[in-house]
Amino acid sequence: QKEVEQDPGPLSVPEGAIVSLNCTYSNSAFQYFMWYRQYSRKGPELLMYTYSSGNKEDGRFTAQVDKSSKYISLFIRDSQPSDSATYLCAIPLPGGYQKVTFGTGTKLQVIP
Amino acid sequence: KAGVTQTPRYLIKTRGQQVTLSCSPISGHRSVSWYQQTPGQGLQFLFEYFSETQRNKGNFPGRFSGRQFSNSRSEMNVSTLELGDSALYLCASSSKKIMTVTDTQYFGPGTRLTVL
């Protein structure tokens, strides 16, 4: 079983829609959860991180963790064409935070 | 401040050959990590170097190796290339010796390797 599984998409939504991106993970010991955004022909960039359970909000983005079901989500409100990218969930593994396991990514397209 | 640079950006090789990829971290960053990205497996951790020492290693065969120089630049080498090695190879740098989840790794644009 992979450490983290991500809904593969792709997703295509109209501008202004609410987007929900989801991942599940296998190890209940995981504590930190991250979301990266990767534009075409670019490397990933850290978008948000959360610790343990609950929600974290940053502008139009909300990251949510449900440790009881080992489920993590990223919500994007009022989606914009500039949000079109691949979104990757990521979890640091034991051994240091440089060693990170990523989901396969969900490609999002926001249509004007 | 210049970002992470990787060279070359694109590379085509044939099976059995070897390849060396280069990564220059952001000035002042001493930690360099390497990742392989494929559509099926996503981003997978290869290894991480700090001050010329490999500190972490992912689950890749010994054909994948790397090193870091005293100026923090890093290279990774893949010997005896296989078709399945076709991927985007990304490196990321960070400034801290002990990273926390809040310390950002800055990724380069990657090297797209195609093995024919």
Side-chain angles (χ1 to χ4, degrees):
Chain A
Q1 185 185 7
K2 292 192 74 173
E3 287 152 332
V4 58
E5 306 261 11
Q6 184 168 2
D7 292 348
L11 275 179
S12 185
V13 301
E15 183 176 352
I18 296 174
V19 176
S20 173
L21 304 165
N22 306 295
C23 293
T24 57
Y25 62 93
S26 59
N27 191 335
S28 57
F30 291 154
Q31 291 191 316
Y32 286 98
F33 307 91
M34 303 184 285
W35 284 95
Y36 281 78
R37 178 176 60 195
Q38 185 174 19
Y39 289 113
S40 181
R41 286 184 290 277
K42 300 274 189 178
E45 57 178 343
L46 181 64
L47 190 60
M48 292 184 70
Y49 69 91
T50 56
Y51 173 70
S52 195
S53 282
N55 293 355
K56 182 174 181 178
E57 193 172 313
D58 184 0
R60 297 184 294 108
F61 298 87
T62 299
Q64 187 176 79
V65 178
D66 182 347
K67 292 201 81 179
S68 62
S69 57
K70 301 193 191 72
Y71 202 78
I72 55 178
S73 301
L74 178 70
F75 298 97
I76 307 174
R77 290 186 304 280
D78 188 26
S79 55
Q80 302 295 308
S82 58
D83 296 329
S84 297
T86 296
Y87 291 81
L88 303 114
C89 56
I91 304 174
L93 296 177
Y97 290 109
Q98 292 92 340
K99 193 172 180 181
V100 179
T101 187
F102 286 82
T104 50
T106 302
K107 188 170 185 178
L108 170 68
Q109 183 181 23
V110 181
I111 302 167
Chain B
K1 205 179 216 184
V4 178
T5 58
Q6 292 187 245
T7 57
R9 291 293 310 276
Y10 301 91
L11 204 50
I12 299 176
K13 292 285 188 179
T14 56
R15 280 167 45 189
Q17 287 187 309
Q18 76 165 25
V19 66
T20 300
L21 312 180
S22 180
C23 170
S24 292
I26 291 172
S27 178
H29 286 193
R30 292 161 67 190
S31 170
V32 173
S33 300
W34 286 90
Y35 293 84
Q36 181 196 66
Q37 187 174 32
T38 58
Q41 298 296 317
L43 261 166
Q44 294 184 279
F45 175 82
L46 280 156
F47 28 66
E48 184 259 345
Y49 288 87
F50 184 88
S51 292
E52 302 179 68
T53 300
Q54 186 182 92
R55 297 196 299 180
N56 288 293
K57 192 176 189 307
N59 297 322
F60 277 81
R63 301 185 297 107
F64 292 82
S65 63
R67 59 178 175 168
Q68 187 181 31
F69 302 95
S70 57
N71 61 359
S72 295
R73 191 177 69 84
S74 178
E75 289 181 346
M76 68 161 282
N77 185 76
V78 188
S79 62
T80 320
L81 284 166
E82 301 177 0
L83 296 178
D85 297 333
S86 294
L88 181 67
Y89 290 89
L90 292 155
C91 85
S93 75
S94 63
S95 60
K96 302 282 176 67
K97 182 176 183 179
I98 306 294
M99 252 189 69
T100 67
V101 73
T102 59
D103 294 319
T104 301
Q105 280 188 321
Y106 294 88
F107 280 84
T111 294
R112 173 76 61 187
L113 172 65
T114 302
V115 181
L116 302 175

